[in-house]
């Protein structure tokens, strides 16, 4: 009888995209996917380490698993994603520290070792007959064809890792050094997607602006002589409009690497949408320095000015950390006031969570009390509610084009060009279609529209 697997994905879009590649490998092995953890023979967590909360969530579920094991002795539990430092099974002599710490775990694998998963599984399930799978075909995990969750919208990774070492951040440790994927491979994946009816592509990376420019990239011939490889890639993918690509997006962006040429390209290329995610992290220069962000509040302001001038009406979102080591009330208020000034369309703010092994963990004191972090978070959130409401109201009466992502109980939901969530009533399920709507109401977190 075929065995089943359940996968829980946490964290950023990179992880969701990786899970689509995991699906391919597991289904090649003859496993069927289930949405019920209780029924699965293999339970897999694709984890995030960005804050302690995400790690605790995974570990918290282990107790439930101990009970499940009593009734299902064949059950396997695996972890991948950013919590894993080493690929191993509990049969290895030197397992990952997670395997030693968490009894319930059978296997851990780093996502780039996804090609090794078939042989690890066959070791742990000696009684299960696996179909023949040639590991050489899986050599580079990026080149495994994902089983895309959606047929009309896709996330395509253009690289992995990060070289920036922001002092609070675990990503350079969990995803290792920045390495870009070959341009023709990315293009091939996008071409295949578009040929199969995909209309919206989001290019993914920790810092897409430095695509092709990292230290590891410089050691290959792939990007030799290219001045701005990312713009070249965008131009290349944009050319797929003749085959049906309608929308191109990319994330995430680092302010220090966002060039004038890239802003111009955003305005020039037809498929690029008028939306940008540009994390600021703090509105105070001293904190930015302590975070090793390599830009100042003024230089960020300049970027916003350029973006708004070159792409009128562009919507911009950001990330902010409150309560970073030593952040005074006045420094927090600099962030607050900058928020009032810039009025981001959306912001993802988080309370600082110290991460083991980072510069901040080893050299700075996590001295802002929990309640203070919480209070700053709430104050920012109140402000965000009012600015995002104000921004959304500006759309009232305007026409927007929406790519419908879901339909429930007579209501369709999707995103506009500006990446605003738009809901509207419909008798028909229009999922996957691009529709024109008139915005009736701008709410705090979304727009309400009606078909024109
Ligand atoms: N590479 C992306 C972001 C990756 S992590 C970028 O630089 O934009 C996403 C967000 O998580 C970050 O922008 C930051 O705001 C937040 N974050 C990262 N480390 C954190 C930590 N230790 N505590 C709280 N928030 C953190
Ligand atoms: Fe983390 Fe900074 Fe890299 Fe983003 S740019 S992943 S915040 S180290
Ligand atoms: Fe989390 Fe890893 Fe993404 S730490 S935010 S899943 S890169």
């Amino acid at each position: 009888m075929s065995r089943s697997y359940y996968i829980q994905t946490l964290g950023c879009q990179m992880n969701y995209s990786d899970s689509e590649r995991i699906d391919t490998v597991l289904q090649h092995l003859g496993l069927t996917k289930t949405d019920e953890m209780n029924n699965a023979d293999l339970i897999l967590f694709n984890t995030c380490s960005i804050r302690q909360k995400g790690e605790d969530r995974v570990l918290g579920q282990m107790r439930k698993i101990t009970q499940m094991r009593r009734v299902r002795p064949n059950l396997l539990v695996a972890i991948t994603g950013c919590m894993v430092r080493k690929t191993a099974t509990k049969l290895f002599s030197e397992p990952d520290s997670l395997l030693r710490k968490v009894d319930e775990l059978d296997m851990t694998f780093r996502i780039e070792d996804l090609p090794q998963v078939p042989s690890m599984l066959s070791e742990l399930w000696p009684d299960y007959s696996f179909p023949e799978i040639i590991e050489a075909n899986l050599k580079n995990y990026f080149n495994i064809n994902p089983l895309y969750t959606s047929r009309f919208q896709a996330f395509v990774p253009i690289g992995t890792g990060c070289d920036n070492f922001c002092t609070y951040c675990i990503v350079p440790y969990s995803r290792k050094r920045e390495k870009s994927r070959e341009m023709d491979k990315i293009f091939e994946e996008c071409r295949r997607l578009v040929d199969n009816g995909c209309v919206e592509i989001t290019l993914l990376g920790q810092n897409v602006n430095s695509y092709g420019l990292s230290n590891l990239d410089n050691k290959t011939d792939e990007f030799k002589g290219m001045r701005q490889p990312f713009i070249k890639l965008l131009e290349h993918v944009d050319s797929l409009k003749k085959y049906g690509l309608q929308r191109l997006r990319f994330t995430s962006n680092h302010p220090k690497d966002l060039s004038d040429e890239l802003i111009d390209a955003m305005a020039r290329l037809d498929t690029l949408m008028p939306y940008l995610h540009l994390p600021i992290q703090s509105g105070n220069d001293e904190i930015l320095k302590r975070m090793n962000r390599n830009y100042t509040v003024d230089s960020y302001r300049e970027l916003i000015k350029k973006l708004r001038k070159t792409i009128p009406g562009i919507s911009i979102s950001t990330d902010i950390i409150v309560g970073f080591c030593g952040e005074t009330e006045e420094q927090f208020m600099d962030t607050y006031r900058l928020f009032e000034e810039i009025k981001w369309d959306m912001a993802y703010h988080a309370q600082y969570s110290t991460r083991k092994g980072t510069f901040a963990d080893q050299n700075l004191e996590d001295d802002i009390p929990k309640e203070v972090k919480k209070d700053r978070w709430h104050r920012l959130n109140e402000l965000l509610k009012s600015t995002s409401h104000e921004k959304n109201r500006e759309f009232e009466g305007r026409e927007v084009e929406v790519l419908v992502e879901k339909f429930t109980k007579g209501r369709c939901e999707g995103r506009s060009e500006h990446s605003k969530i738009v809901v509207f009533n419909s008798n028909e399920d229009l999922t996957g279609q691009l529709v024109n709507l008139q915005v009736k109401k701008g709410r705090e977190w979304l727009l309400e529209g009606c078909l024109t």
Side-chain angles (χ1 to χ4, degrees):
M1 208 180 94
S2 131
R3 291 190 181 169
S4 62
Y5 72 97
Y6 164 87
I7 179 163
Q8 188 176 100
T9 309
L10 298 147
C12 65
Q13 272 317 326
M14 282 300 276
N15 269 12
Y16 283 86
S17 165
D18 288 342
S19 286
E20 294 179 336
R21 285 178 162 75
I22 297 173
D23 280 336
T24 305
V25 172
L26 296 181
Q27 294 186 25
H28 254 98
L29 292 175
L31 302 182
T32 48
K33 189 170 180 163
T34 164
D35 292 332
E36 274 294 322
M37 192 195 283
N38 287 328
N39 299 337
D41 301 293
L42 166 66
I43 298 175
L44 179 61
F45 296 96
N46 192 359
T47 59
C48 173
S49 288
I50 209 80
R51 288 179 285 276
Q52 190 59 40
K53 233 168 50 192
E55 295 201 359
D56 291 346
R57 221 170 113 188
V58 171
L59 298 174
Q61 296 190 66
M62 292 299 165
R63 232 170 295 130
K64 213 157 96 191
I65 286 170
T66 317
Q67 286 157 12
M68 286 182 197
R69 229 189 250 290
R70 280 193 207 119
V71 279
R72 277 179 303 145
N74 266 334
L75 180 67
L76 281 186
V77 182
I79 287 194
T80 183
C82 292
M83 276 172 79
V84 176
R85 293 287 172 274
K86 210 164 148 193
T87 298
T89 72
K90 62 179 179 193
L91 306 174
F92 282 35
S93 53
E94 281 178 62
D96 182 270
S97 63
L98 267 174
L99 280 167
R100 267 184 272 127
K101 259 196 334 226
V102 186
D103 282 348
E104 289 82 356
L105 264 185
D106 299 293
M107 132 182 182
T108 56
F109 66 94
R110 291 191 54 80
I111 192 65
E112 61 272 21
D113 293 330
L114 176 60
Q116 292 172 32
V117 165
S119 61
M120 291 164 81
L121 278 178
S122 58
E123 229 176 277
L124 290 165
W125 271 342
D127 57 327
Y128 182 72
S129 77
F130 286 94
E132 200 59 38
I133 188 160
I134 304 158
E135 283 198 14
N137 288 349
L138 300 175
K139 216 161 164 203
N140 176 340
Y141 102 92
F142 267 147
N143 299 336
I144 296 171
N145 272 340
L147 272 178
Y148 299 102
T149 330
S150 154
R151 80 194 138 72
F152 54 86
Q153 191 177 44
F155 294 89
V156 175
I158 66 166
T160 182
C162 183
D163 286 351
N164 288 322
F165 287 92
C166 302
T167 55
Y168 51 80
C169 184
I170 195 72
V171 173
Y173 305 90
S174 55
R175 294 257 171 187
K176 305 271 162 76
R177 291 294 62 70
E178 186 169 334
K179 190 165 182 338
S180 303
R181 195 176 166 201
E182 299 100 310
M183 205 177 287
D184 57 343
K185 290 283 192 293
I186 300 170
F187 185 73
E188 249 172 54
E189 185 175 340
C190 294
R191 173 74 207 257
R192 217 172 27 239
L193 277 162
V194 174
D195 283 347
N196 287 319
C198 177
V199 291
E200 182 179 274
I201 289 178
T202 304
L203 303 176
L204 287 182
Q206 286 309 333
N207 176 12
V208 289
N209 315 145
S210 57
Y211 171 77
L213 300 174
S214 75
N215 292 330
L216 284 176
D217 298 337
N218 285 337
K219 291 194 181 125
T220 69
D221 288 338
E222 172 74 19
F223 305 102
K224 233 183 203 142
M226 273 188 221
R227 222 177 63 75
Q228 297 229 24
F230 184 56
I231 297 181
K232 194 146 183 234
L233 175 67
L234 290 178
E235 288 168 344
H236 217 34
V237 180
D238 176 71
S239 74
L240 291 171
K241 60 190 163 219
K242 56 179 178 287
Y243 301 110
L245 179 69
Q246 307 261 357
R247 296 173 156 198
L248 182 57
R249 305 182 188 275
F250 52 82
T251 196
S252 185
N253 299 279
H254 198 300
K256 78 175 167 55
D257 298 312
L258 184 68
S259 65
D260 289 357
E261 289 91 334
L262 177 53
I263 298 175
D264 290 340
M266 284 184 73
R268 173 168 50 87
L269 301 175
D270 296 330
T271 57
L272 276 178
M273 292 289 105
Y275 164 71
L276 193 75
H277 183 62
L278 194 62
I280 178 123
Q281 311 299 358
S282 165
N284 174 276
D285 282 339
E286 209 179 304
I287 296 285
L288 285 176
K289 210 164 167 196
R290 206 176 294 157
M291 289 175 160
N292 191 31
R293 289 290 291 180
N294 285 308
Y295 54 83
T296 61
V297 173
D298 265 346
S299 65
Y300 186 95
R301 264 197 196 100
E302 276 307 304
L303 286 177
I304 298 285
K305 225 191 270 165
K306 258 182 244 157
L307 280 162
R308 287 181 171 159
K309 189 165 160 231
T310 318
I311 310 157
I314 185 172
S315 95
I316 303 170
S317 59
T318 199
D319 287 347
I320 291 172
I321 297 177
V322 297
F324 185 55
C325 309
E327 183 191 65
T328 62
E329 171 63 19
E330 204 29 53
Q331 288 170 326
F332 165 72
M333 281 309 292
D334 284 342
T335 304
Y336 190 93
R337 283 186 288 262
L338 189 70
F339 207 121
E340 290 176 314
E341 176 194 322
I342 291 188
K343 293 195 170 74
W344 286 282
D345 288 80
M346 192 57 201
Y348 305 90
H349 38 279
Q351 299 169 40
Y352 173 62
S353 161
T354 187
R355 310 283 57 219
K356 259 213 161 34
T358 58
F359 181 91
D361 172 53
Q362 291 175 345
N363 301 280
L364 304 169
E365 200 184 336
D366 180 17
D367 54 356
I368 307 303
K370 252 198 182 116
E371 314 77 69
V372 176
K373 286 180 183 169
K374 220 183 209 168
D375 174 62
R376 288 178 188 170
W377 188 94
H378 280 291
R379 278 147 73 195
L380 264 195
N381 207 45
E382 285 308 303
L383 183 56
L384 167 65
K385 269 190 211 163
S386 70
T387 52
S388 113
H389 198 178
E390 186 184 326
K391 286 274 171 186
N392 286 347
R393 271 198 299 249
E394 286 171 11
F395 281 87
E396 287 178 1
R398 280 169 58 181
E399 275 216 7
V400 292
E401 189 188 56
V402 169
L403 176 58
V404 181
E405 293 174 17
K406 54 185 170 194
F407 175 73
T408 23
K409 294 185 191 140
R411 229 161 109 103
C412 286
E413 182 182 318
R415 279 190 190 259
S416 71
E417 300 94 327
H418 294 83
S419 205
K420 300 274 179 195
I421 297 172
V422 189
V423 296
F424 62 99
N425 293 331
S426 165
N427 299 326
E428 234 185 304
D429 180 356
L430 300 173
T431 304
Q433 293 189 36
L434 278 159
V435 295
N436 291 315
L437 298 171
Q438 190 177 40
V439 178
K440 291 288 174 206
K441 194 101 197 132
R443 302 266 181 212
E444 271 171 11
W445 306 121
L446 51 80
L447 308 177
E448 287 171 6
C450 65
L451 287 162
T452 53

